[in-house]
Amino acid sequence: MNLPISLPTLPNIPGLPPIPLPVLPPPFDVLIEFMQTSEFMEFAVELSLKLLVFPGLAFIMLYAMLAVWGERKLHARIHLRIGPYHVGPIFGLFQLVADGIKLLGKEIVTPERSHKFFYHLAPVLIMSLSMITLAFIPFFPVGPGEYWTIYYSEYSLLIILALFSLRPFIMIMAGWASNNKYTMMGAMRAAFQLLAYEVPLMLSMASVVILAGSFDLAKIVESQANMWFIVPCFLGFIVFFISTMAEICRRPLDIIVAEQEIVFGPWTEYTGMEYGLIMMSEYVDVAIASFLTSILFLGGWHGPGLHPLVWLLIKMGILSMFFMIGRSTWPRLRIDQLLDAGWRKLIPLALVQVFIAIVLVYVLKVIVV
Amino acid sequence: MSLKPIERIRTKISCWKPIKDMLNWGRAWSLWWVHYETGCCCPEIMSLVAARFDHERLGAIPFPTLRECDLIIIEGVVTKKMAKRLRMIYDQMPDPKYVIALGDCAITGGFWWDSYSVVQGVDKVVPVDVYVPGCPPRPEQILQGFRLLQKKIMEGK
Amino acid sequence: MPIRVAWGIQHPMSGHLTLYLDVDGDIVLNTEADVGYTHRGLEKIAEYRNFIQYVPVIERACDFDASNFALGYVRAVEALMGIEVPERAKYLRVIAAELSRIMSHLYAQALLSMTGGFETMTVWSANDRELILDLLERLSGARVTHTYIIPGGVRADIPKGFKEKAYDVLNYLERRIWDYYKMLFQNKTFQDRTMGVGVLSKQDAIELGITGPNLRASGVDFDVRRDDPYEAYDKLDFEVVVEKEGDSYARALVRFYEIAQSIKIIKQALKDLPEGPIRCKTPPMLPRGETYTRIESGRGELGVYIVGSGTNKPYRLKISAPSFRNLAGLVYLCRDIPMGDIPVIYYSLDILLLDVDR
Amino acid sequence: MDVERLLEEIKTKLSDVLVEAKIDRPRYASIKVKPEGMVKAATLLKENGFNHPLSVSGVDYPDRGEVEVVYHVSCLDSKSLVALKTALPRGQPSMPSLREIWRGVHFHERETWEMLGVKFEGHPELKRFLLQEDWEEGVYPLRKEFKLKPES
């Protein structure tokens, strides 16, 4: 990939001997030689650009600020009241900045009978897990076969699914480590809910994979060029939407963080920036869910006219609003109703969808794989 | 893995002037208060959350767990049985914490001056930052209480 | 092996009480209520205040439904003294009591919808409650604790623009409650959360002494306003809302329809408001003797048993608060239910701990 | 079963323990019974349809040296109300608990015990209810000798 900017090379001051690089044991000396070539410098700059700017830190911070502002304003508008108003320039835009700064200045409390190491590890893990899943999503085509993604692989959908299934372990760790009855109940509920909605998530992705013919998200988007997958797998879209809402626990299905019953689920004991991490990971999850939904069903970056990235961001913005609107329009399901919906209602729907996909592809040969 | 070094750095940084102003600005404009009803001023808190006197304009939201809150609103009369729990809850809240005492009964035990089970004045139990008189105080008075607290935080008390 | 969880004093939905639950997994096996956190000794204070001074005190016993409680106490004092209140004061009392009942029902509906995490209905009910508070403030000067009803009649007459303002508010509210019906009662998730939860059979409701909308929701057709009419209720026609299922949904529905009935009552009372004085002279001393009167407050039947002693301070005053009697229902219903149902049952019974502890 | 017929039946059946029975208002009767006849009177009332308990209140009369316990019970079909009264000695007031007859009086009796010291035998749960935990035993707030002293 050729970048417009000229790359800096190692400075060799004429009068002095060149800087001796350390001599390292066999596996590393090859690495040192590779680091001296200009190709490595090009790769390093591009990777840091991806890590720090687009799918990385800058985008997450900006998206989180907009998401917090949008959600609280939307939530308030539905309540016929004005949300955060005095904090930032455009009617309270900097609300998350104020919350973040306040959380930075808070004291970090460690409950004395809790398992200290795992207690402090859990929020860091939950945040990193959310950020890692962003690494495998292709955002827009850069070249004929090239895509703007941190790590390109043919099985990116499988990796994301694997990362989704890691979430209950971290919540159970947090629930168990903070040694509080309510967090234990929250952890058990997390285990029930996330496992119950893992299977419909997989099955709804399966129907898309059958239509696209490969696990690679980029290929899935390429094959949606003329017809978005929402048309043939509409049932799959519904099942996927509901199960991602359960995975990132948004309102109608958020018995993990049910304020009214168990105080704050596994996150009851966290204060200060640890809670900031948890809140940030919640909004990163909303970003991932809307990216995945738009890539799998709404034809990722396909769209007339504008740059592919702009199309993806538009779709993702609208979808993240849909994820957030549940908080103010639906009361919360009880745990047995929720699990019953997951096991008995979503899975048959997803199976019907997989059957339709198979019929479309292999029997009627409508969609050429 | 203790967090002592992080704590030490945080205290050292936070006494530098611009950093301190920024921190105080953040604390003032995002007061998360714990929903803990102690007495008979609850109807006014409900109209504070409602549309007409919306207190979320000041960035304040009621929060379920007291671990993440930094403001506790004492709504009304505090009896002796409630005072023990109030003290326990005040100790569990993380460090920069503030207290608003609502209503005459909380400030001086007003209406129940001769009752055998009422604590005469809540500052015998917890240090109070802002007193809001009235029984029950009108939502505008409570909003003014919030503004006073914000001014106090901005000055860094 | 059940663990004992304190559904504690500081819980987002717990109010001023602590429920000690024996929880096994997610099922609550047994519950024990620990109340008394707002016990201010109202009955002991009654012996140290003369009967006029006590009206603001008893309104603090339940300040979501202040005028009804004041009405209950004032009727007991008047029954003891044997005085008759002028006709216009009776109608004004009915207006204040019904406005306070709407205020109490809207607050109960706000809290019940919050139990399922449905903040939109909470804030909508609170928004419309503001209109009623404006009316009461215009009538009596205070938003929540009005002290409008005093022994001998009513403290002040209707201000000039009150009737037109009241008609506007009531007409708006009559249209508005059908938005609630569509938003809350026909919401599938809310029906799942409340139908069949905390079912109170008719026989249990009567034996446990449950009162008010909770009793009518279990199929008992009993309302003090119609069966033991007081003030001007016998001259106004209104239906008593009765449901049969007895679960949380029925209780919320009874309260919802009672708001509509209250609006009808206020409109009739405002229309045929008779002329005449609003207060009559009350003797300075409470005569010897005792009496028990009861009225239908928002949460249920408030019984006041007063013993006079010849001085201006009552010898003994027993306030049999409605929430105190509904508490037996709460402890009886919170057995073998999932954890998520505790707040739903607690707020569908509309128990206010200020009543219970007095 | 309305109040007048109820009074005749009570006069006939409970003549030995009955102290006085009168009608104060239409549909409101008050019956005074000796302490030992309480359970019999309560079961009689329950059979006649008075199964909705309203309240239990204790009144302390130091000059007469007795504590009067009043049960208010109502019958929902005939919409009438009965006050069942009994007088107990002030020193050690105790009477059989009527919890088995009317399930609703459980909390009422517990509160009367805590406020006035009336011991209800057979009541499963006579322990601290409304007052704070460190309230010293034996002191009953609603007794006349307990004076309110302003603290501040």
Side-chain angles (χ1 to χ4, degrees), chain A residues 238-253:
Chain A
I238 295 172
V239 170
F240 185 82
F241 187 76
I242 293 170
S243 42
T244 32
M245 251 188 159
E247 289 295 324
I248 56 176
C249 62
R250 290 307 301 181
R251 177 44 58 102
L253 310 161

Side-chain angles (χ1 to χ4, degrees), chain A residues 5-81:
Chain A
I5 52 176
S6 68
L7 305 171
T9 58
L10 283 176
N12 270 338
I13 301 155
L16 297 173
I19 305 159
L21 287 170
V23 178
L24 292 168
F28 290 102
D29 49 11
V30 172
L31 179 66
I32 297 297
E33 275 148 26
F34 170 65
M35 277 173 68
Q36 282 165 358
T37 61
S38 70
E39 185 200 315
F40 168 74
M41 188 53 69
E42 193 182 295
F43 168 72
V45 163
E46 184 200 326
L47 188 62
S48 56
L49 190 65
K50 284 176 187 165
L51 280 183
L52 290 182
V53 179
F54 175 59
L57 204 55
F59 170 72
I60 293 295
M61 288 298 174
L62 196 64
Y63 176 77
M65 194 194 314
L66 276 173
V68 165
W69 179 71
E71 177 173 28
R72 282 175 71 166
K73 276 290 192 193
L74 182 74
H75 201 50
R77 273 293 181 272
I78 293 177
H79 291 181
L80 308 176
R81 58 186 173 88

Side-chain angles (χ1 to χ4, degrees), chain B residues 14 16 19 29 31-32 42-43 48 50 52 78 80 92 95 101 121 126 135 142 149:
Chain B
S14 67
W16 187 42
I19 296 282
W29 284 101
L31 284 165
W32 295 351
C42 328
L48 194 71
R52 191 166 166 195
V78 178
K80 288 178 178 137
Q92 283 174 6
D95 202 13
V126 277
C135 183
I142 306 174
L149 183 64

Side-chain angles (χ1 to χ4, degrees), chain C residues 83-279:
Chain C
I83 56 174
E84 190 57 31
V85 176
E87 204 51 31
R88 184 176 175 89
K90 282 188 177 178
Y91 276 79
L92 288 177
R93 281 185 175 181
V94 163
I95 292 168
E98 287 309 313
L99 280 175
S100 155
R101 185 190 312 280
I102 296 177
M103 181 171 89
S104 160
H105 283 330
L106 282 175
Y107 195 88
Q109 185 179 311
L111 288 182
L112 178 64
S113 55
M114 197 148 73
T115 57
F118 198 16
E119 280 99 5
T120 309
M121 260 327 287
T122 307
V123 182
W124 277 13
S125 313
N127 296 346
D128 293 330
R129 187 171 159 269
E130 290 291 322
L131 298 174
I132 301 290
L133 292 181
D134 285 350
L135 277 187
L136 279 166
E137 187 180 3
R138 195 181 285 264
L139 190 69
S140 67
R143 282 165 58 91
V144 180
T145 54
H146 326 111
T147 61
Y148 181 66
I149 297 166
I150 53 172
V154 176
R155 187 155 51 87
D157 206 338
I158 283 191
K160 214 183 308 310
F162 183 77
K163 259 187 190 175
E164 297 72 25
K165 186 79 171 58
Y167 278 124
D168 302 344
V169 167
L170 293 175
N171 294 340
Y172 162 75
L173 208 57
E174 223 160 17
R175 291 193 312 276
R176 181 68 173 151
I177 51 179
W178 297 109
D179 294 349
Y180 299 161
Y181 190 78
K182 284 200 285 290
M183 180 79 172
L184 185 69
F185 288 95
Q186 286 176 342
N187 187 325
K188 188 70 182 66
T189 322
F190 181 76
Q191 285 173 355
D192 292 350
R193 277 304 294 272
T194 49
M195 275 193 179
V197 168
V199 179
L200 195 62
S201 70
K202 182 170 182 177
Q203 195 49 32
D204 286 342
I206 293 173
E207 269 168 20
L208 284 172
I210 307 286
T211 63
N214 313 328
L215 192 66
R216 290 189 282 277
S218 302
V220 178
D221 182 1
F222 178 77
D223 187 335
V224 182
R225 291 178 293 176
R226 184 199 57 193
D227 303 335
D228 189 352
Y230 53 95
E231 299 308 337
Y233 279 108
D234 39 15
K235 302 184 191 57
L236 306 164
D237 69 346
F238 59 96
E239 301 100 29
V240 174
V241 183
V242 180
E243 294 284 330
K244 276 174 294 306
E245 299 83 13
D247 54 7
S248 302
Y249 188 75
R251 288 190 277 268
L253 212 54
V254 164
R255 260 183 229 104
F256 173 75
Y257 286 131
E258 272 187 7
I259 297 178
Q261 289 305 320
S262 295
I263 293 173
K264 212 170 82 169
I265 291 172
I266 297 174
K267 279 190 177 169
Q268 283 172 37
L270 277 173
K271 188 153 46 63
D272 44 30
L273 188 65
E275 293 311 317
I278 57 168
R279 237 199 324 276

